[in-house]
Amino acid sequence: MKGIILAGGTGTRLHPLTVALSKQLLPVYDKPMIYYPLSTLMLGGVRDILIISTPADLPMFRRVLGDGGDLGLRFSYAVQPRPAGIADAFRVGADFIGSDPVSLILGDNIFHGRELPGTLAESMVDVDGCTLFGYTVPDPRPYGVVEKDADGRLVGIEEKPARPRGSEIVTGLYVYSNDVVEIARRIAPSARGELEITDVNRVYLDQGRARLRSLGEDCTWLDAGTYDGLLDAARFVREEQLRGPRIGCLEEIALHRGYIDADACHALGRRQKNSGYGRYVMRISGKSDQGGSRHVIH
């Protein structure tokens, strides 16, 4: 399974915050926004990940993330010269995807929940068609709203309806079989000249190969791409981390999944030892500064 994070665009919903800085590099409490979608892919077992961004912003993502090797991952980078729709990620990333299935996540989406790793792992094996992840929101009008039959099966997607028939929406996380590349090439651009992800999903729906995984009450989904969304996300992360482990801590996920060992985790924390984040990474490694081990309680 390959992974793609779409971190391009102009971030106009957050102007003037994003005039000089990519939205996905803005802080969400104690880490850059892109850490959160990246951690979601990692929780699903994805290790080979492409970051797509603008020509101006891509060097900053390289500076923040590097090549992924320190985390036992592999990061690649590709340019999207102008906003061209979510589905354009499959055109830009076609060579990267190769013959593999792919999971695409939007760079301003944050997922968190106890059952999330299991849900992701189940959704990223034996992929045939597409899997969408649904979430119930108070106001579904800005999103793609799902339509389900009496048995809860996905039967339609209504894009940004003025009068929604329900309150469950399609979030910015998608899993596809490899034929998504060809499907994205065949769909016609919208009136704005963009390749719409809903058009891709409807192809799978017409083929009977689209399924919906509704995220339950234990899971939280946040769109951090607006003023209120960014503030709500920071507050949520802070409150959750006061009660438990950090959200979106890449080093911790890499350690627990066996991508890196305790020594490597501790070394990554030491690079940032003057910050609370760095000290946390050192602590969860179970290694002391003197090179010994100590017990870590989770």
Side-chain angles (χ1 to χ4, degrees):
M1 172 71 67
K2 299 287 182 64
I4 295 178
I5 301 177
L6 186 56
T10 56
T12 53
R13 291 188 298 169
L14 285 169
H15 277 183
L17 295 174
T18 50
V19 171
L21 182 66
S22 168
K23 168 176 62 177
Q24 290 84 8
L25 291 174
L26 292 175
V28 177
Y29 188 52
D30 61 348
K31 58 191 75 71
M33 187 188 295
I34 197 169
Y35 271 44
Y36 299 93
L38 179 52
S39 70
T40 299
L41 293 179
M42 291 175 67
L43 289 172
V46 181
R47 301 178 69 175
D48 197 353
I49 298 168
L50 175 70
I51 294 97
I52 298 177
S53 191
T54 67
D57 293 328
L58 209 59
M60 290 185 283
F61 285 103
R62 288 183 185 272
R63 180 179 178 184
V64 170
L65 299 174
D67 64 5
D70 287 346
L71 295 167
L73 308 174
R74 186 171 73 173
F75 297 151
S76 304
Y77 298 88
V79 168
Q80 186 184 48
R82 62 173 183 84
I86 296 173
D88 186 57
F90 303 118
R91 180 190 63 81
V92 174
D95 290 341
F96 166 80
I97 296 168
S99 58
D100 293 310
V102 61
S103 178
L104 170 67
I105 188 168
L106 304 186
D108 58 5
N109 274 218
I110 298 174
F111 295 82
H112 178 65
R114 185 181 63 257
E115 304 298 327
L116 183 63
T119 299
L120 295 173
E122 292 172 4
S123 302
M124 294 186 182
V125 295
D126 301 324
V127 180
D128 179 20
C130 82
T131 298
L132 310 177
F133 296 85
Y135 191 77
T136 300
V137 297
D139 181 9
R141 289 174 299 175
Y143 304 102
V145 180
V146 304
E147 300 176 50
K148 299 189 287 189
D149 64 16
D151 296 320
R153 290 188 294 262
L154 180 67
V155 295
I157 305 169
E158 191 177 11
E159 190 65 26
K160 298 179 181 178
R163 296 181 178 178
R165 300 177 185 177
S167 57
E168 187 173 0
I169 59 100
V170 178
T171 65
L173 174 64
Y174 317 86
V175 177
Y176 297 100
S177 51
N178 184 258
D179 58 348
V180 70
V181 174
E182 185 57 34
I183 290 173
R185 284 174 176 155
R186 292 201 310 261
I187 63 171
S190 68
R192 296 182 300 173
E194 298 184 353
L195 298 182
E196 303 291 350
I197 197 68
T198 298
D199 291 338
V200 170
N201 295 335
R202 283 175 178 152
V203 171
Y204 284 107
L205 192 60
D206 291 343
Q207 295 175 352
R209 300 170 62 214
R211 68 170 181 164
L212 179 72
R213 292 294 299 260
S214 297
L215 299 174
E217 293 182 357
D218 77 292
C219 186
T220 297
W221 170 79
L222 297 164
D223 173 5
T226 65
Y227 300 132
D228 288 342
L230 187 62
L231 181 60
D232 290 344
R235 286 173 170 167
F236 173 79
V237 170
R238 180 179 184 275
E239 292 302 315
E240 287 294 309
Q241 291 182 173
L242 288 174
R243 294 191 291 266
R246 269 172 162 73
I247 300 172
C249 180
L250 308 183
E251 296 86 353
E252 185 169 21
I253 298 170
L255 177 65
H256 288 172
R257 296 191 68 89
Y259 301 161
I260 60 174
D261 62 19
D263 289 330
C265 183
H266 189 268
L268 290 172
R270 276 191 62 82
R271 294 181 188 176
Q272 307 170 80
K273 64 181 181 180
N274 288 335
S275 71
Y277 182 89
R279 291 190 292 272
Y280 175 83
V281 172
M282 293 170 65
R283 186 168 67 251
I284 58 99
S285 75
K287 307 288 289 187
S288 72
D289 278 341
Q290 287 71 39
S293 298
R294 58 185 175 81
H295 182 64
V296 179
I297 299 175
H298 293 286

